[in-house]
Amino acid sequence: MAQLRDYIELTKPKQTFLLLLTSIFAYLTNISSISIVNAVHLIASMLLSISGTTAMNMALEADIDSLMRRTSSRPIPQGRLTPSEGLIFGIVLFLSGLSVSLLINIYVAVAVMLGLISDIFLYTLWLKRRNPMSIVLGGIAGGAPALAGWAASSGRIDLQGVLMALTVMLWIPAHIWYIAIYYKEDYELAGIPMLPVAYGVERTVKTIIAALSLLTAVELAMFVMKMFGFVFLILSLPFTLFLLYKSVVYLRDLSKEGARKMYKMASPLIGIIFIAMFIDNLVKTFLSSL
Ligand code: HEM
Ligand SMILES: CC(C)=CCC/C(C)=C/CC/C(C)=C/COP(=O)(O)OP(=O)(O)O
């Protein structure tokens, strides 16, 4: 049982759940074309491929995880699982998820492959240990589940799918860089040049503010281009602007404890935005049926 718990920990359940949520709600924004079979295939494909990618990431990062307070208690640094056990587990899960994605359509499989390439090859193996802006390309992995959900219901990868993925990517700087400010010493110890380590806290917060400003612009663009309506705008814009405002206020603080609060405040935003997309489409579909 302890081993099963360790294997589950390799999949980062909380992160995987929220990533799955973005995929499901991206899928449901095409309410007129959903099918139970496709929805089940999407959920299975995302759970398997996201968990697999995350387990591969943990197996490949066991060395730096053992150097960081936040991650040193994980199964592989603690020797409860070996890196090769973690890698094989991740590869099997991922390939299973990719196979299921092909049951839906080729575009979902493309999004799954984008997630793997971005998370493992661009971020984990190449950029994270070398480049302070690693999460920009690593962020494509974060947007991949939303792209997969849209592709599963629309049958294509188009501008709307790309903008929905971009929405996640522009939230990621607030998500990870507030964590990185809080754990700055950890990343320094492990030699990981996260933005706060390389350019300091103030520069990092200003970059987060720029990303949240772009996120606001993308939300407005999706409204102007009639991809989503007023319901989406009034449910997501205020929360985005609130996090933007609190980030500007945090510029005068820059404390570690303040960073932890900002990280916790950032987490729900991406869920709120994708639920807003779903509710907007639900209301639009209901009104058009009257
Ligand atoms: C480049 C992309 C990303 C990176 C580098 C990243 C990194 C991290 C890190 C370092 C943590 C803290 C883990 C810990 O507590 O030890 C975390 C937690 C988490 N991440 Fe991400 N993440 C990324 C993308 C995402 C995306 C796209 C989502 C959801 C859509 C997400 C959802 C979560 C959640 C829900 C948690 C747990 C929060 C908690 O424990 O309170 N992450 N992530
Ligand atoms: C469809 C598909 C396969 C999508 C992949 C989605 C996915 C796993 C996104 C997470 C992105 C990511 C780079 C996390 C690594 O965090 P980290 O290594 O910096 O975190 P840590 O320090 O806590 O290990």
Side-chain angles (χ1 to χ4, degrees), residues 245-262:
Y245 162 72
K246 294 297 277 183
S247 296
V248 174
V249 169
Y250 177 67
L251 263 181
R252 289 198 298 272
D253 170 12
L254 299 182
S255 70
K256 261 187 73 150
E257 195 38 46
R260 201 184 61 79
K261 289 192 185 109
M262 290 306 294

Side-chain angles (χ1 to χ4, degrees), residues 14-15 19 70 74 123 142 171 175-176 179 263-264:
K14 278 200 272 188
Q15 176 170 274
L19 281 154
R70 175 175 63 81
R74 287 176 170 174
Y123 179 75
W171 163 81
H175 167 58
I176 174 71
I179 297 173
Y263 160 61
K264 287 296 177 193

